[in-house]
Amino acid sequence: MANISNSMSLKHGLSLWCPHSSSLNRVHHSSSLPSGVRFQSRRYVVASSAFANENREFVIVGGGNAAGYAARTFVEHGMADGRLCIVSKEAYAPYERPALTKGYLFPPDKKPARLPMLYEDPVTGIDIEKQTLTTNSGKLLKYGSLVVATGCTASRFPEKIGGNLPGVHYIRDVADADSLISSLEKARKVVIVGGGYIGMEVAAATVGWKLDTTVIFPENHLLQRLFTPSLAQRYEELYKENGVKFLKGASIKNLEAGSDGRVAAVKLEDGSTIDADTIIIGIGAKPAVSPFERVGLNSAVGGIQVDGQFRTALPGIFAIGDVAAFPLKIYDRMARVEHVDHARRSAQHCVKALLSAHTHTYDYLPYFYSRVFEYEGSPRKVWWQFFGDNVGETIEIGNFDPKIATFWIDSGKLKGVLLESGSPEEFQLLPKLARGQPFVDKARLQQASSVEEALEIAQTCLQAAV
C-alpha cells in the first residue's frame, strides 16, 4: 500500500487528507471494557468554527501502516465523504514501512522501491474536553472520534556520545531511509549497531552495496528475543559467507568524529575502536505516545491502554497499531506488538467496531517475518515466518540448506513455529498450528528426518485434535 488514495491534494502545507463534503452526526456504541474502565458514547456535533479540518468527524493521527489501513477501512464503509481526516508529521501518504529496511535500501541497479510525496504537520497537543487537536503550525483540528496511530520512534544514542553526528542514521520513516541511501552511495566502512530485525535487514542490504559491514550488539546472538542460539548461528554463518562481520557481547562507549565533523569510528568500552564512515543504529523503538499521555498509558508493556475494540478509557478516542496496549486474547495477557500485520489488522478491527454494532474482541495471533538478500544477483534469497508464542522447549529440524524449522512446545502443546524457505502451502499451515496448539509427541517430532516430515507430524496432531 504505497498510498491509500490517489486523490489526496496539498492544502495549506498541512499533512491533512480531508475529502470535502458535509459532516454528519453519528453515535458510537460501546461494549465491555477491561475491569475498572468505563466507556460512554459521544455524539459528534457539527458546529460553526474555523477549524483547519472543517469539523471532520473522524480524525486519524499518524501516517504509517495502521493509519493507512484505518483510512482505507473508513473508505470501504463509505465514510470518506467529508468526515475523515489524516494528520501526520511525515511528508508522505501512509505507506508500508517494512520496505524501508528491505527493498527500499537496495542500490539503484537493484530496482529499489519508491514512494509518492504528500505533506506534513504533526499533532503537538490535545484538548480532551473540547475534542480538539493542535498541530505544530498552530492549526486547530476538531474531532468526533479520534484514532491514534502514531506508531513508534527509533531509540537513539544520546547526543553527548555522538548520537547525532553526521553519518549516524536511524530508520523509522522514508526520510530516514533516503538519508541513509545518500550515505551508502559514498560509504566504504559501515557499522550497524543492533542485532535485531533492523540490524539483520540493513546488513543484508549493505551486502548488496558491496560495503565493508560490521554488526555490533551486546547480546550473545542475533535476534535474541526470538531465535534460539542454534538457529541464530545458522543465520550468522550465512551473513559471514556474505562478508558481514559480527562483534557480539560488545558495549559501545561513544561514537567518534573525524576532522571533518562526520562520524569516523565506534569506540568500545574495552578501549578498542572500529573505523566507520556510516553508522546505522537499530536498538529498538519507543511508542510515540506524546501528546496523548492523558488518554491512559499501560506501564507494563508501554503504549496506550485499549480494550478488545481498541477503545481507550476516554469516550471517542481509540488507539491502534504499535502504540496500542491491547488484550492478547489467545494468551490472556496484555501486549503491545510492533508489526505491520498487527498494524493492518488492528486498524481494520477498530474502524469496523467504531462504525458498526459488532462487539467481538480482537483475536490476534502473533506473527513475525523477515525477507533479506532478495535483490537481483543475490545467490540466496531468505524468507522466514514465525507464528505463535516462543515459550517452552524448542525442537529444530533441518539443516538450513535451504530449509529449517523450529517448534516451541510448552506442557506438551505446540505454541509456536518458525519456518525458513518453506513452500506456500507450508507457510499457510503455520498459523493453523500456532492457533490450534495441538498436543505433539516430542520424541516423534525430534526423529523427523526432514522439515517436510516434521510439518506432516504436526499437521496430523492438529487434525487429531479437531
Side-chain angles (χ1 to χ4, degrees), residues 188-192 202-203 206-207 211-215 243-246:
R188 298 184 308 277
K189 289 181 176 292
V190 175
V191 166
I192 299 166
V202 173
T206 58
V207 167
L211 299 175
D212 183 315
T213 301
T214 301
V215 181
V244 176
K245 297 182 285 291
F246 291 103

Side-chain angles (χ1 to χ4, degrees), residues 196-278:
Y197 290 99
I198 298 298
M200 291 182 67
E201 292 175 358
V202 173
T206 58
V207 167
W209 290 84
K210 297 181 172 60
L211 299 175
D212 183 315
T213 301
T214 301
V215 181
I216 303 174
F217 51 92
E219 296 84 12
N220 297 323
H221 61 76
L222 281 175
L223 205 60
Q224 191 152 318
R225 288 189 298 174
L226 177 61
F227 285 177
T228 63
S230 59
L231 182 62
Q233 183 179 356
R234 306 274 193 174
Y235 282 95
E236 289 171 17
E237 290 172 354
L238 174 66
Y239 276 74
K240 288 177 182 177
E241 291 170 5
N242 281 275
V244 176
K245 297 182 285 291
F246 291 103
L247 190 55
K248 299 183 285 186
S251 298
I252 295 174
K253 184 175 182 179
N254 63 277
L255 308 181
E256 299 183 338
S259 58
D260 59 357
R262 289 182 57 84
V263 72
V266 177
K267 186 171 184 178
L268 303 179
E269 288 288 355
D270 65 8
S272 61
T273 60
I274 301 173
D275 293 339
D277 51 55
T278 300

Side-chain angles (χ1 to χ4, degrees), residues 145-215:
S145 291
L146 172 65
V147 180
V148 180
T150 45
C152 289
T153 58
S155 297
R156 304 176 69 91
F157 269 21
E159 183 175 2
K160 65 181 180 181
I161 66 168
N164 293 339
L165 287 173
V168 177
H169 296 270
Y170 305 85
I171 301 185
R172 196 65 199 180
D173 57 37
V174 68
D176 295 335
D178 282 338
S179 177
L180 174 56
I181 288 169
S182 296
S183 284
L184 293 178
E185 290 172 343
K186 304 181 287 289
R188 298 184 308 277
K189 289 181 176 292
V190 175
V191 166
I192 299 166
V193 181
Y197 290 99
I198 298 298
M200 291 182 67
E201 292 175 358
V202 173
T206 58
V207 167
W209 290 84
K210 297 181 172 60
L211 299 175
D212 183 315
T213 301
T214 301
V215 181

